[in-house]
Amino acid sequence: VIHDEIDLPFAEIRTRLGGGLAGHNGLKSIKTALGTADFQRVRVGVGRPPTTDPDLVAAYVLGKFREPKDQVQALIDSAADASAELLK
């Protein structure tokens, strides 16, 4: 699973097996479908907004990136590379 991660700074990529769901609705849905939270993850850092308001946090992660297009493309490329490494 490749997913956004507000607890990582923008452009940081980490992989892991399992872990908590941290309120991430997409991860909750996948856990429900699989019956377990033990699945491989590529966590893609998008940074944390300067608020804890749930509506503003949701708008932040669902909105457009504020970073330059070339930095966003580099992030996508890094996430793809990390995913390919997991598949090996």
Side-chain angles (χ1 to χ4, degrees):
V1 173
I2 304 169
H3 68 89
D4 58 338
E5 179 63 69
I6 64 171
D7 291 327
L8 293 177
F10 177 80
E12 188 168 322
I13 305 285
R14 292 192 191 165
T15 59
R16 72 185 299 175
L17 173 63
L21 306 178
H24 195 294
N25 291 332
L27 294 178
K28 288 179 190 176
S29 177
I30 292 167
K31 178 185 176 190
T32 298
L34 296 177
T36 181
D38 293 332
F39 48 85
Q40 290 287 350
R41 304 173 190 194
V42 176
R43 301 166 60 213
V44 179
V46 295
R48 179 177 285 281
T51 181
T52 57
D53 180 294
D55 293 331
L56 295 177
V57 171
Y60 176 84
V61 298
L62 296 174
K64 293 184 178 192
F65 283 103
R66 292 162 180 84
E67 292 78 11
K69 188 174 183 175
D70 63 325
Q71 290 180 19
V72 174
Q73 186 60 55
L75 175 62
I76 292 167
D77 294 343
S78 294
D81 291 344
S83 300
E85 285 299 313
L86 278 178
L87 290 172
K88 288 181 184 177

